[in-house]
Amino acid sequence: MINGELIGDKVIVKDINEAREVYKLGFYGKPLNISKPKSAEDINSPVLLSLIEATYLVKRGLIKVVTKDKEEKEIELGFDELYKIGVESIPRFSLLYLVYEDLRNKNYVVRSGIKYGADFAVYTIAPGIEHAPYLVLVLKEDEIIYPNEILGFGRVSHSTRKELVLAIVNANSKKIRYIIFKWLKM
């Protein structure tokens, strides 16, 4: 079992062999010394997992996450505990997690899209092997998005040669609709 430790809102896999293993599972996490390794063999440092990634991996039974209590005793955190920590520490965690899980279950590699102003950058193969073809914005079904916001996101996605995808979540039914924008030159 791969072991990680919760530190703040991240989970660190300290053991190098386990860091390689978690990366091999589907390009999870970011090694501390390489931005986009091409393979797990390139990893020679601990790997940081986002709380969303760690929660997903715990749900699938692929990693064990621990934290330390006040007496420095290790406590294992299950899916429910990690999910609760996520909801309490990350705005929109429940929506982001639903979309993350859905995309991962469809075999996409999902990374933070913050540097593009999006929620996720999504890969069909892997970071380091291809550029992310999609930027995903997560919205609640009843959330208002204005045309100028879509144009702004569209300009960023177009200038970075990525397609803009809106993931629209019905919070009650947990159903997700995806709308992809294609930009045409006229």
Side-chain angles (χ1 to χ4, degrees), residues 46-146:
V47 166
L48 274 181
L49 299 168
S50 72
L51 196 50
I52 290 173
E53 286 176 307
T55 303
Y56 177 76
L57 290 167
V58 165
K59 183 177 184 179
R60 296 195 61 214
L62 299 171
I63 69 168
K64 178 175 106 173
V65 175
V66 297
T67 190
K68 294 186 179 172
D69 65 11
K70 293 175 185 174
E71 291 86 38
E72 293 295 310
K73 180 180 162 197
E74 281 193 356
I75 301 167
E76 185 173 347
L77 300 169
F79 170 79
D80 292 335
E81 292 91 357
L82 278 176
Y83 190 89
K84 183 179 181 213
I85 291 166
V87 167
E88 291 170 353
S89 62
I90 298 171
R92 303 171 48 242
F93 182 86
S94 58
L95 292 173
L96 295 171
Y97 181 81
L98 276 173
V99 172
Y100 179 89
E101 181 178 56
D102 185 59
L103 291 170
R104 272 297 189 165
N105 288 344
K106 291 176 178 170
N107 295 318
Y108 290 102
V109 177
V110 184
R111 296 298 186 106
S112 171
I114 192 120
K115 74 178 182 180
Y116 303 107
D119 292 307
F120 299 118
V122 177
Y123 298 81
T124 56
I125 302 171
I129 297 171
E130 67 171 336
H131 291 286
Y134 306 106
L135 293 180
V136 177
L137 294 173
V138 178
L139 302 168
K140 285 193 299 189
E141 192 173 62
D142 60 354
E143 193 171 338
I144 295 172
I145 186 166
Y146 295 98

